[in-house]
Amino acid sequence: MTLIKSISGIRGTIGGTAGENLTPPDIVKFTTAYIRFIAQRNSGKKLTIVIGRDARLSGELVSDLVEGTLLACGADVINVGLCTTPATEMAVITYRADGGIIITASHNPRQWNALKLLNSSGEFLSDAEGKQVLAYAEEGDFAYPAIDSIGHVLSREPFNDRHIEQVLSLPLVDVEAVQARRFKVVVDAVNSVGGIVMPALLRRLGCEVVELNCDPTGEFAHNPEPLPENLTEISAVIVREKADLGIVVDPDVDRLAFVSEDGSMFVEEYTLVAVADYILSHTAGDTVSNLSSTRALRDVTARYGCNYHASAVGEVNVTAKMKEVGAVIGGEGNGGVIYPELHYGRDALVGTALFLTFLAKKGMTMTELRATYPAYYASKNKIELTPAIDVDKVLHEIKTRYIHENVNDIDGVKIDFPDSWVHLRKSNTEPIIRVYTEAQSMTEAEALAQRFIAEIKEICQI
């Protein structure tokens, strides 16, 4: 069992020993530490915190513990219930709350859950802010307010429909153009909250929807990460139903992957590329993605005479870089689209509405659109960590070996070769080293990955 405290929040497996897993004492401790951090920034103010959760099995249990702890700490609560991550972020903004807690372990399997911590802008805490929360948690010795100062639940109202309205109101979302195309779309929501939201959005856009795994039971129908090996079912359904495309989201609906009309993967790396292509065709400006994302975004950005920038992995790092350079679009190659016209958060609903508008206006099929982009192939691998593996030592050794190449070490080690790259880094969400590679063929990408995996094993003597 595992408890991971990182820039991505407090994430762990349900059950087991306190301090080693995400147990009730841990949930209370970290929630209390978070509200102490928020209170320190809002001295003397009555605080309001938004809570939302995905549909995973432990969601209600964790939500009840978080809500009760916030009330015991004197904070008022707006509980939006079953809600996507981007909608919970938008609820913080809309209600002008002081922060928010999203209860979701994103793409992790069913036994995991997490507390994702938001500031008053509906954005994830920075690394420094997260470390302050962790420091408060380790200090302990919390003093809770007396009965007259406890918090209250201000509302228990869904927010997903309001989020859909906010997305459809964006100037570059052309509802009429999409409605005119009458797309037939298969949706795989892995039996989480996307099963409530995505079909509703698509029907507002005039699409015929075929629902697949859209019952929000939390019993994930397959591995919840939207990777090609997990999407064989939707590929077959698309072909059988003669659909125009398929849409796949992760359990909290911040990641977005498309499947083409022939059942082939559009590839989640190209979700952001296509959306950026559309945005840049209307709004000139810089783009941002993280170091592990495809070169294709850089290439498309250059077509418009604009500048591409890379950030460290992690949504908060991407948004920080976007603000720094004034980017008009950004995100991550895992299918995370960040469109600051609405908010600084990965948002599968925004990505879907913008993408379908682009596809409708192009008058292309999915495979035709995909063929307009540079053909890069990514291989995503991982090495399981053990206590004996010193990750910093491993990465330093790799960097030393390739010191004469184009090396970026702002997040792990990325080595850019002329026609390929490799990125090695410790995961924020799992006890693994990620080994991502990209090249001009899958054979080359996989060979590059195996080469570096072998080097790492040699260094670690495993």
Side-chain angles (χ1 to χ4, degrees):
M1 297 297 183
T2 308
L3 182 67
I4 300 175
K5 297 165 281 190
S6 74
I7 195 171
S8 297
I10 313 302
R11 186 180 302 236
T13 47
I14 297 297
T17 304
E20 298 177 7
N21 309 273
L22 193 63
T23 67
D26 295 295
I27 294 165
V28 171
K29 179 175 76 171
F30 289 112
T31 301
T32 303
Y34 166 72
I35 202 65
R36 180 178 172 186
F37 168 79
I38 297 296
Q40 184 260 336
R41 293 195 152 198
N42 297 271
S43 180
K45 179 185 176 184
K46 183 70 171 179
L47 302 176
T48 300
I49 305 295
V50 173
I51 302 173
R53 68 178 180 91
D54 69 14
R56 63 183 58 235
L57 298 174
S58 60
E60 186 174 6
L61 178 158
V62 178
S63 179
D64 287 348
L65 285 165
V66 168
E67 180 182 286
T69 303
L70 291 174
L71 299 179
C73 290
D76 290 337
V77 169
I78 295 173
N79 196 323
V80 293
L82 278 175
C83 194
T84 69
T85 282
T88 306
E89 293 167 347
M90 286 304 302
V92 172
I93 298 168
T94 302
Y95 290 121
R96 298 182 179 180
D98 301 292
I101 298 179
I102 310 170
I103 299 163
T104 174
S106 191
H107 63 274
N108 287 89
R110 66 199 290 273
Q111 69 269 28
W112 289 76
N113 215 326
L115 309 181
K116 293 188 176 182
L117 310 176
L118 304 176
N119 61 22
S120 60
S121 298
E123 300 166 18
F124 292 121
L125 301 187
S126 70
D127 183 49
E129 292 167 336
K131 287 176 179 175
Q132 184 62 64
V133 172
L134 297 180
Y136 284 148
E138 292 309 311
E139 287 176 11
D141 298 325
F142 304 119
Y144 295 90
I147 187 64
D148 292 332
S149 299
I150 63 172
H152 300 86
V153 177
L154 302 181
S155 68
R156 296 186 190 278
E157 296 178 3
F159 195 83
N160 291 312
D161 287 344
R162 292 185 69 175
H163 182 217
I164 290 173
E165 292 292 341
Q166 291 167 333
V167 169
L168 296 179
S169 297
L170 289 168
L172 289 187
V173 174
D174 191 332
V175 176
E176 291 183 359
V178 180
Q179 289 175 337
R181 278 293 300 270
R182 300 183 63 82
F183 291 115
K184 185 174 185 179
V185 184
V186 181
V187 177
D188 183 349
V190 73
N191 289 334
S192 191
V193 69
I196 300 171
V197 179
M198 294 305 296
L201 170 69
L202 291 167
R203 291 186 175 109
R204 289 288 303 277
L205 289 166
C207 300
E208 178 184 348
V209 181
V210 178
E211 296 186 13
L212 182 65
N213 305 319
C214 285
D215 188 9
T217 61
E219 289 286 3
F220 301 147
H222 53 76
N223 184 308
E225 191 163 12
L227 300 177
E229 58 266 29
N230 302 326
L231 306 181
T232 55
E233 182 182 14
I234 190 172
S235 294
V237 173
I238 289 167
V239 174
R240 185 184 72 224
E241 294 286 339
K242 297 180 179 179
D244 295 293
L245 71 153
I247 293 176
V248 184
V249 293
D250 64 340
D252 67 325
V253 200
D254 60 356
R255 290 175 59 175
L256 173 65
F258 295 112
V259 186
S260 298
E261 78 281 356
D262 62 353
S264 65
M265 296 298 115
F266 194 81
V267 182
E268 64 171 354
E269 286 282 347
Y270 284 80
T271 298
L272 174 59
V273 174
V275 173
D277 190 8
Y278 175 53
I279 298 302
L280 292 172
S281 70
H282 288 269
T283 310
D286 290 0
T287 65
V288 174
S289 66
N290 68 42
L291 287 170
S292 285
S293 301
T294 180
R295 278 185 181 175
L297 180 61
R298 180 199 65 181
D299 296 350
V300 168
T301 303
R303 288 182 190 174
Y304 290 96
C306 299
N307 297 314
Y308 164 77
H309 306 269
S311 78
V313 173
E315 182 175 324
V316 66
N317 295 318
V318 176
T319 57
K321 192 67 175 181
M322 289 178 70
K323 291 176 181 180
E324 176 189 329
V325 302
V328 296
I329 187 71
E332 299 188 281
N334 60 13
V337 174
I338 301 173
Y339 186 45
E341 182 73 16
L342 184 60
H343 69 127
Y344 280 99
R346 295 184 305 182
D347 192 326
L349 282 80
V350 166
T352 295
L354 292 170
F355 181 90
L356 290 180
T357 297
F358 188 41
L359 189 63
K361 289 178 177 290
K362 280 284 192 180
M364 293 179 170
T365 65
M366 292 285 287
T367 50
E368 289 170 342
L369 178 63
R370 180 65 174 79
T372 66
Y373 299 121
Y376 294 115
Y377 297 83
S379 180
K380 299 183 178 183
N381 298 271
K382 58 187 178 182
I383 299 174
E384 300 289 338
L385 290 177
T386 68
I389 297 177
D390 184 338
V391 178
D392 292 334
K393 178 182 176 182
V394 170
L395 297 180
H396 178 75
E397 175 64 24
I398 292 291
K399 179 182 175 182
T400 301
R401 291 184 180 190
Y402 291 89
I403 195 68
H404 298 297
E405 301 289 347
N406 184 4
V407 177
N408 185 320
D409 62 357
I410 65 170
D411 183 7
V413 174
K414 182 175 183 179
I415 307 168
D416 268 298
F417 301 105
D419 298 315
S420 62
W421 56 258
V422 59
H423 188 200
L424 312 172
R425 58 181 291 274
K426 184 177 180 179
S427 171
N428 290 327
T429 60
E430 299 175 73
I432 58 175
I433 294 178
R434 297 195 185 277
V435 181
Y436 285 3
T437 58
E438 185 175 72
Q440 294 179 329
S441 74
M442 183 55 76
T443 299
E444 292 173 295
E446 290 178 346
L448 186 61
Q450 292 307 312
R451 168 181 150 190
F452 276 88
I453 288 172
E455 288 200 37
I456 292 170
K457 288 184 175 179
E458 173 204 331
I459 294 168
C460 298
Q461 297 182 336
I462 58 175

